[in-house]
Amino acid sequence: MSSTMGQVIRCRAAVAWEAGKPLVIEEVEVAPPQAMEVRLKILYTALCHTDVYFWEAKGQTPVFPRIFGHEAGGIVESVGEGVTELSLGDHVLPVFTGECGECRHCKSEESNMCDLLRINTDRGVMIGDGKSRFSIKGKPIYHFVGTSTFSEYTVVHVGCVAKINPQAPLDKVCVFSCGISTGLGAALNVAKPKPGSVVAIFGLGAVGLAAAEGARLSGASRIIGIDLNPSRFEIAKKFGVTEFLNPKDHDKPIQEVIAAMTDGGVDRSIECTGSISAMISAFECVHDGWGVAVLVGVPNKDDAFKTHPMNLLNERTLKGTFFGNYKPRSDIPVVVEKYMKKELELELEKFITHEVSFLEINKAFEYMLAGESLRCIIRMEP
């Protein structure tokens, strides 16, 4: 691939002109990367529920017209001033959050919450100059979480780009750039179940199933899946889930049901729904003395969490996590490498339920809305 550094690129992008309406394939102009930015050629992207959530704009600030997409794999096409760690042709995963390497969070071994590049769902422009790199006939088209991968080319801050092994299959490892890492890391990095543990997973979508995989890899003896949609139970067996509960089937709080079937509560729970009631249940279902509950799902902005303080005083631990506590640039390349060397016994193919061409991108939304899809891979090229 020859560099077109400094030039505007015209390419196809799937533009969301308004909330909830089908995306439209348009020819867009993609400006060159500015200081500390890179322009990427996207080869594969996937549809995540977060894209659908903000496309619907329910309870969120609507920012349109916009190019969604944040779970992808591609190649560096050109770099802006000051970029030294990436070169033309590097294989990369763009990530919705970043790692500047300079702030207190980035220098901490305990945090991945970068001060500069932390996710901002309302910002539709680049952080450097407050402008969009996308336009149609001079009209700006807004970015989404700094990635906008539903475009053949996109511009991303260098701190939000993970350079990976060029031998890694981009059509599979692209899912590490969001949901799979979030769930996997919630288990491996935050919940840290010990061998023989009993683990409860609330929500059996892609993130919850990745958390189940993390529990399985940790040696959990029982993995209890809780979901309001029983159609998810059969596929969850492939991810190590051993038992299933639907709160609708019980006339008492599901945390009480779980406590009764686990001799007082589970060792670890991981909540992956964003539902406040599920968060409360996840916390209250862990065993006193040593139980740890990890919250992964993102609630609505006005939600509030309520539980009795004695649940904490009785030595239950409540934790939150963001992107599985992985630092994008430092940790994701290592995760990919472990996957390639089979040190991480993870079958990414199990998460990929559909594949469509870029021109069929609206089918991916249909699959997700119908509850049929864990991950739909979108091929940018025919």
Side-chain angles (χ1 to χ4, degrees):
M1 180 172 57
S2 60
S3 174
T4 48
M5 186 175 293
Q7 301 177 24
V8 171
I9 287 180
R10 290 180 174 82
C11 70
R12 297 179 304 175
V15 178
W17 288 100
E18 54 185 305
K21 296 297 178 67
L23 307 188
V24 181
I25 303 294
E26 305 275 14
E27 181 179 85
V28 300
E29 294 186 339
V30 185
Q34 301 303 302
M36 303 308 292
E37 297 174 358
V38 295
R39 189 161 57 188
L40 309 178
K41 178 180 176 62
I42 299 298
L43 299 182
Y44 298 94
T45 186
L47 179 64
C48 171
H49 187 265
T50 302
D51 295 305
V52 176
Y53 186 64
F54 284 91
W55 166 72
E56 291 179 319
K58 294 179 179 177
Q60 302 296 329
T61 303
V63 181
F64 295 95
R66 198 172 208 179
I67 298 173
F68 287 101
H70 65 281
E71 197 171 88
I75 299 173
V76 175
E77 175 271 334
S78 58
V79 302
E81 180 184 354
V83 176
T84 58
E85 57 268 64
L86 292 172
S87 304
L88 175 71
D90 283 345
H91 285 221
V92 296
L93 303 182
V95 182
F96 64 90
T97 187
E99 182 183 352
C100 72
E102 299 298 327
C103 70
R104 291 183 66 190
H105 285 279
C106 287
K107 291 180 178 179
S108 167
E109 294 181 357
E110 300 180 32
S111 175
N112 66 341
M113 304 287 287
C114 177
D115 282 331
L116 178 66
L117 300 171
R118 191 177 306 185
I119 185 173
N120 183 327
T121 57
D122 293 339
R123 186 175 60 234
V125 293
M126 297 302 292
I127 199 169
D129 61 3
K131 297 179 180 179
S132 174
R133 300 290 175 261
F134 299 109
S135 62
I136 296 178
K137 297 178 181 179
K139 176 181 174 63
I141 307 297
Y142 295 109
H143 295 249
F144 178 63
V145 295
T147 51
S148 292
T149 61
F150 292 168
S151 174
E152 292 176 313
Y153 289 85
T154 189
V155 178
V156 182
H157 191 284
V158 65
C160 298
V161 179
K163 179 181 176 180
I164 64 169
N165 185 335
Q167 300 302 315
L170 286 174
D171 60 332
K172 295 181 177 62
V173 300
C174 64
V175 298
F176 277 131
S177 62
C178 180
I180 308 310
S181 295
T182 296
L184 188 69
L188 297 179
N189 300 335
V190 187
K192 299 179 180 178
K194 298 176 182 178
S197 295
V198 179
V199 180
I201 307 291
F202 286 77
L204 299 176
V207 175
L209 294 176
E213 285 280 63
R216 177 186 63 80
L217 292 170
S218 299
S221 61
R222 296 170 66 186
I223 302 175
I224 304 169
I226 301 96
D227 202 293
L228 295 171
N229 183 357
S231 67
R232 292 178 167 180
F233 293 169
E234 189 62 33
I235 192 172
K237 294 177 182 177
K238 299 179 181 179
F239 296 84
V241 183
T242 57
E243 301 161 66
F244 301 93
L245 293 171
N246 182 346
K248 293 179 181 178
D249 295 338
H250 301 273
D251 56 6
K252 58 183 177 181
I254 200 65
Q255 55 266 44
E256 295 181 16
V257 176
I258 294 170
M261 62 188 285
T262 57
D263 191 24
V266 297
D267 302 300
R268 301 289 187 267
S269 71
I270 304 173
E271 182 282 323
C272 304
T273 71
S275 160
I276 287 297
S277 62
M279 291 180 180
I280 295 169
S281 296
F283 178 48
E284 295 183 353
C285 81
V286 299
H287 206 290
D288 58 5
W290 63 79
V292 178
V294 178
L295 305 186
V296 179
V298 179
N300 290 325
K301 59 183 179 180
D302 296 326
D303 283 340
F305 182 98
K306 181 180 179 181
T307 191
H308 197 282
M310 284 304 300
N311 288 318
L312 288 162
L313 294 174
N314 285 337
E315 299 184 1
R316 293 178 177 90
T317 298
L318 178 65
K319 292 186 175 184
T321 183
F322 175 69
F323 192 49
N325 204 228
Y326 286 119
K327 293 178 185 289
R329 290 199 290 175
S330 299
D331 296 335
I332 296 305
V334 177
V335 172
V336 171
E337 201 63 26
K338 287 182 177 180
Y339 167 75
M340 292 291 289
K341 292 179 178 178
K342 301 189 184 305
E343 295 174 9
L344 186 64
E345 297 177 9
L346 194 66
E347 297 178 38
L348 292 180
E349 295 85 353
K350 293 190 297 187
F351 291 96
I352 299 169
T353 53
H354 298 80
E355 185 174 317
V356 299
S357 70
F358 186 41
L359 296 178
E360 300 174 304
I361 190 169
N362 286 301
K363 283 188 177 180
F365 280 76
E366 292 171 10
Y367 293 141
M368 181 72 76
L369 290 169
E372 299 174 4
S373 175
L374 289 178
R375 279 297 181 269
C376 181
I377 300 297
I378 300 157
R379 304 184 309 276
M380 303 304 288
E381 296 181 342

